[in-house]
């Protein structure tokens, strides 16, 4: 068998044989005469040194471990683990000369960091990497935030992983600790759930000054649904306004995490950071996969490499994967050959294989990310396994038209969008032509933040200047008799067919704010067609309310209104909800009798439609230039005009040269001017300038 190749379904029951397949011994282990064999063929038992000192191990478990230690595979794993203990863990995985075969599942910990925006998640990750030698001290801040938009907004858009090597002073053993930096925003909730599925534990970071925020609660529930062991970390204890003990008690009261188990840190100054890695090793369980089972991997994210195609981030649940293996994507059945595999430590570090419980990357020769489905299960060719639960295709929730600000730059926009979609398979892109804006694209996004990040990256990374239409959501049109259709463009709403009902998507919003603003928040949510689900104290003189709100409201100024009505103290987060019936009507804006398709939208029937129509027309009347004839602006809904504005014509004073004379002469000049205006109005054509659309689309 060729080196690095794994036969389908091979159990790897003999560790010495596995060692040869993985490319022999590591350099450090070879110098000591110890075979660096993999854990893939082991029975999953711990080393002889681990068993008697493992914290919390029961006598029965110790006896079982002792019984299995007589096998050659277990002895080989113990030798490999001992070899890792002899190396310098402070230099990191690559520089320290470590090998993946030195880390059986018992020596692996997979965890993530979840936090509200600006609570110190990226700084904590930097300090952990510095402590373990993965990066040099004092280097680039926010190392895992690769994109400019991530650094500017303080958010994570793409999942990142980094493999750290840590020697525990309690038992002297060396552990492979995989940090998975996950997105925290609900727009990427599915990607977050798949990333969390690759972990066994999580650090829940809370600012010692601000306390629990809305996104803290949302992330906590996501992690709890995945069954993760959560370690509360009270960060920024160096701030003058910090109240670490009070916040820890608040975490216990609201989230149910014991205050006695909280860790107190200041990632900025380094205070308390030395306690994090030992706590992760002691309190986060190791992966429970079966090294001897057939290969089963979870694909939790991917990025596009210009030269090598898709680089897939994977967690090996069972078995192992090696370079040269043929693997199958369960969702599509496509077969790929692994051209390279390895760990991110933090840069790509090729290894002969990835073993059970480890998290790393593979390069399977996939040309486009469109073929990569986040959450998919991958297994060895001709050795099918049961797919991991939770997979579903990405579904766009918000749509918007993206058009070049200058018609001559369309080809540049095409190139920029093509490059961006290589790194974001969740985008839905199709060409469209608008009568008002010209050629462009209809783009589907996971949510409002996803859309904002996409537009910002277009402008920053590719220099594109675009005009976007008002974001819309996907409605379901029910025609009766079981016939339904999805609608993502309001101008396509049928006016010539009977519609039984319209279903709109909703979100479950969580708002945390001081008690003094409770009435204003409730009034705002009710005005936005919200349904109150829950109201509870959030501790420290604050409240938590949960509302069901239409997703379309998030496309407006709802977030800004929450901040305004709470004087900046309120925090807002949401999660995807179900579809519900809604009484909506199509609102058309007509300029000089012609509909402007880019301004069409679905609005609540009744007074809401008239209010929105008048707001748009009033803004149009203020920003549009006057013509040589009167321009009539109208808002139409339910087959009737519900609002109207008139832009008066530019009018020359034709009586300026008349210094006297009969009034009939003046009347004749005025009638002649009026007839000319009437003729110009009849043949005139009105176009709404593109630069005005961003301003008009914010009207409500």
């Amino acid at each position: 068998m060729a080196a690095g190749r794994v036969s389908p379904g091979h159990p790897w029951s003999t560790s010495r044989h596995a060692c040869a397949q993985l490319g022999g011994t590591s350099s450090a282990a070879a110098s000591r005469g110890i075979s660096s064999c993999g854990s893939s063929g082991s029975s999953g038992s711990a080393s002889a040194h681990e068993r008697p000192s493992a914290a919390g191990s029961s006598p029965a478990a110790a006896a079982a471990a002792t019984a299995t230690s007589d096998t050659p595979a277990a002895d080989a794993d113990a030798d490999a683990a001992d070899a890792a203990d002899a190396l310098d863990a402070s230099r990191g995985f690559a520089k320290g000369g470590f090998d993946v075969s030195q880390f059986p599942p018992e020596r692996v910990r997979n965890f993530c960091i979840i936090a509200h925006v600006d609570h110190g998640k990226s700084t904590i990750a930097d300090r952990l990497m510095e402590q373990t030698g993965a990066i040099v001290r004092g280097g680039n801040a926010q190392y895992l935030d690769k994109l400019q938009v991530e650094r500017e907004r303080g958010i994570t858009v793409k999942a990142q992983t980094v493999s750290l090597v840590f020697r525990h002073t309690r038992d002297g053993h060396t552990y492979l600790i995989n940090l998975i930096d996950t997105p925290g925003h609900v727009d990427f909730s599915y990607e977050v759930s798949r990333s969390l599925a690759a972990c066994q534990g999580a650090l829940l970071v809370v600012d010692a000054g601000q306390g629990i925020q809305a996104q803290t609660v949302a992330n906590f529930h996501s992690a709890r649904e995945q069954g993760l062991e959560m370690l509360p970390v009270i960060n920024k204890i160096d701030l003058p306004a910090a109240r670490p003990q009070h916040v820890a008690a608040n975490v216990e009261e609201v989230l149910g995490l014991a205050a006695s188990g909280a860790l107190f840190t200041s990632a900025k100054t380094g205070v308390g950071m030395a306690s994090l890695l030992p706590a992760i090793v002691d309190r986060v369980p190791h992966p429970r996969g079966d090294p001897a089972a057939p290969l089963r991997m979870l694909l939790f994210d991917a990025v596009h490499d210009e030269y090598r195609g898709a680089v897939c981030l994977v967690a090996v649940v069972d078995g192992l994967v090696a370079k040269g293996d043929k693997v199958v994507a369960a969702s599509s059945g496509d077969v790929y050959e692994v051209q390279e595999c390895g760990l991110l430590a933090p840069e790509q570090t090729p290894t002969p294989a990835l073993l059970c419980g480890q998290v790393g990357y593979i390069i399977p020769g996939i040309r486009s990310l469109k073929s990569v489905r986040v959450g998919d299960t991958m297994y060895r060719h001709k050795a099918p396994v049961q797919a991991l639960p939770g997979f579903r295709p990405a579904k766009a929730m918000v749509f918007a038209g993206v058009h070049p600000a200058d018609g001559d730059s369309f080809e540049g926009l095409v190139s920029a969008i093509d490059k961006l979609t290589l790194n974001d398979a969740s985008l839905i892109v199709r060409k469209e032509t608008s009568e008002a804006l010209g050629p462009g694209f209809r783009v589907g996004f996971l949510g409002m933040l996803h859309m904002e990040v996409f537009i910002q990256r277009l402008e920053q990374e590719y220099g594109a200047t675009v005009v976007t239409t008002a974001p819309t959501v996907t409605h379901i049109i029910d025609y009766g008799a079981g016939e339904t259709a999805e609608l993502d463009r309001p101008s396509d709403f049928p006016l010539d067919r009977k519609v039984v009902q319209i279903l709109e998507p909703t979100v479950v919003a969580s708002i945390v704010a001081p008690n003094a603003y409770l009435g204003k928040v409730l009034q705002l949510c009710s005005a936005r067609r919200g349904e109150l689900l829950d109201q509870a104290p959030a501790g420290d003189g604050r409240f938590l309310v949960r509302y069901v709100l239409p997703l379309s409201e998030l496309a407006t100024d709802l977030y800004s209104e929450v901040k305004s009505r709470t004087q900046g103290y309120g925090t807002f987060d949401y999660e995807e909800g179900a579809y519900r019936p809604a009484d909506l009507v199509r609102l058309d804006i007509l300029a000089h009798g012609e509909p402007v398709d880019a301004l069409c939208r679905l609005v609540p029937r009744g007074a809401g439609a008239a209010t929105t129509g008048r707001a748009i027309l009033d803004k149009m009347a203020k920003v549009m230039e006057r013509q040589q004839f009167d321009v009539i602006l109208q808002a139409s809904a339910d087959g009737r005009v519900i609002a109207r504005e008139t832009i008066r014509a530019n009018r020359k004073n034709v009586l300026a040269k008349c210094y006297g004379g009969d009034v009939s002469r003046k009347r004749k000049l005025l009638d002649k001017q009026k007839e000319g205006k009437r003729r110009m109005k009849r043949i005139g054509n009105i176009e709404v300038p593109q630069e005005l659309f961003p301003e008009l689309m914010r009207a409500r």
Side-chain angles (χ1 to χ4, degrees), residues 113-115 119 124 202-208 230-237 247 251 257 261-267 272-273 275-276 279-280:
I113 304 175
I114 54 180
H119 278 202
I124 288 178
L203 300 183
L204 181 67
V205 179
V206 182
D207 190 308
M230 278 177 281
L231 283 63
V233 177
I234 312 303
N235 192 33
K236 300 187 179 182
I237 60 174
V247 172
V251 168
L257 300 178
L263 304 169
F264 301 93
T265 66
S266 169
M273 289 300 299
S275 64
L276 290 189
I280 292 169

Side-chain angles (χ1 to χ4, degrees), residues 24-336:
T25 60
S26 69
S27 58
S31 66
R32 301 176 61 240
I34 299 175
S35 175
S36 175
C37 50
S39 66
S40 52
S42 72
S43 59
S45 60
S47 69
H49 295 286
E50 279 187 73
R51 284 188 295 275
S53 61
S57 60
S58 64
T66 304
T68 59
S69 65
D70 297 332
T71 64
D75 292 339
D77 287 335
D79 290 344
D82 289 342
D85 295 340
L87 299 176
D88 186 1
S90 65
R91 301 185 63 194
F93 179 86
K95 294 181 180 179
F98 291 92
D99 188 85
V100 291
S101 61
Q102 298 165 338
F103 299 99
E106 294 78 14
R107 296 281 190 95
V108 177
R109 300 292 186 272
N110 300 321
F111 79 102
C112 62
I113 304 175
I114 54 180
H116 189 75
V117 174
D118 201 32
H119 278 202
K121 181 174 90 166
S122 296
T123 309
I124 288 178
D126 287 345
R127 297 296 168 267
L128 294 179
M129 289 189 286
E130 290 173 356
Q131 289 178 7
T132 55
I135 61 175
V136 296
R137 296 183 182 273
N140 292 334
Q142 299 177 314
Y143 187 90
L144 295 180
D145 294 337
K146 304 292 186 182
L147 301 175
Q148 181 180 350
V149 65
E150 291 180 319
R151 294 174 176 271
E152 290 181 355
R153 289 174 172 259
I155 60 176
T156 300
V157 176
K158 297 292 291 182
Q160 303 282 344
T161 70
V162 59
S163 297
L164 313 174
V165 177
F166 170 69
R167 178 162 295 134
H168 202 319
T169 56
R170 172 178 55 80
D171 54 17
H173 293 328
T174 304
Y175 295 85
L176 180 65
I177 300 179
N178 297 305
L179 164 59
I180 301 175
D181 188 24
T182 66
H185 197 271
V186 68
D187 281 9
F188 312 102
S189 59
Y190 174 64
E191 287 76 2
V192 172
S193 70
R194 298 302 85 208
S195 298
L196 295 180
C199 303
Q200 287 76 46
L203 300 183
L204 181 67
V205 179
V206 182
D207 190 308
Q210 298 181 17
I212 296 174
Q213 303 294 317
Q215 195 169 324
T216 310
V217 177
N219 290 336
F220 166 77
H221 288 301
S222 298
R224 187 173 65 177
E225 289 173 2
Q226 296 288 341
L228 302 190
E229 179 69 28
M230 278 177 281
L231 283 63
V233 177
I234 312 303
N235 192 33
K236 300 187 179 182
I237 60 174
D238 60 308
L239 295 178
R243 299 169 298 165
Q245 297 297 337
H246 178 79
V247 172
N250 195 11
V251 168
E252 180 173 6
E253 176 187 355
V254 177
L255 304 180
L257 300 178
S260 58
L263 304 169
F264 301 93
T265 66
S266 169
K268 180 180 179 180
T269 64
V271 175
M273 289 300 299
S275 64
L276 290 189
L277 289 172
I280 292 169
V281 172
D282 293 338
R283 295 163 61 177
V284 174
H286 63 77
R288 300 296 182 182
D290 184 359
L295 170 67
R296 185 164 61 157
M297 292 187 298
L298 171 67
L299 191 161
F300 61 88
D301 210 337
V303 294
H304 183 267
D305 185 281
E306 185 176 355
Y307 302 102
R308 299 191 290 178
V311 179
C312 303
L313 303 184
V314 297
V316 182
V317 178
D318 296 314
L320 66 83
V321 60
K323 179 180 179 180
D325 282 353
K326 288 188 176 181
V327 295
V328 181
S331 64
S332 63
D334 295 335
V335 181
Y336 307 100

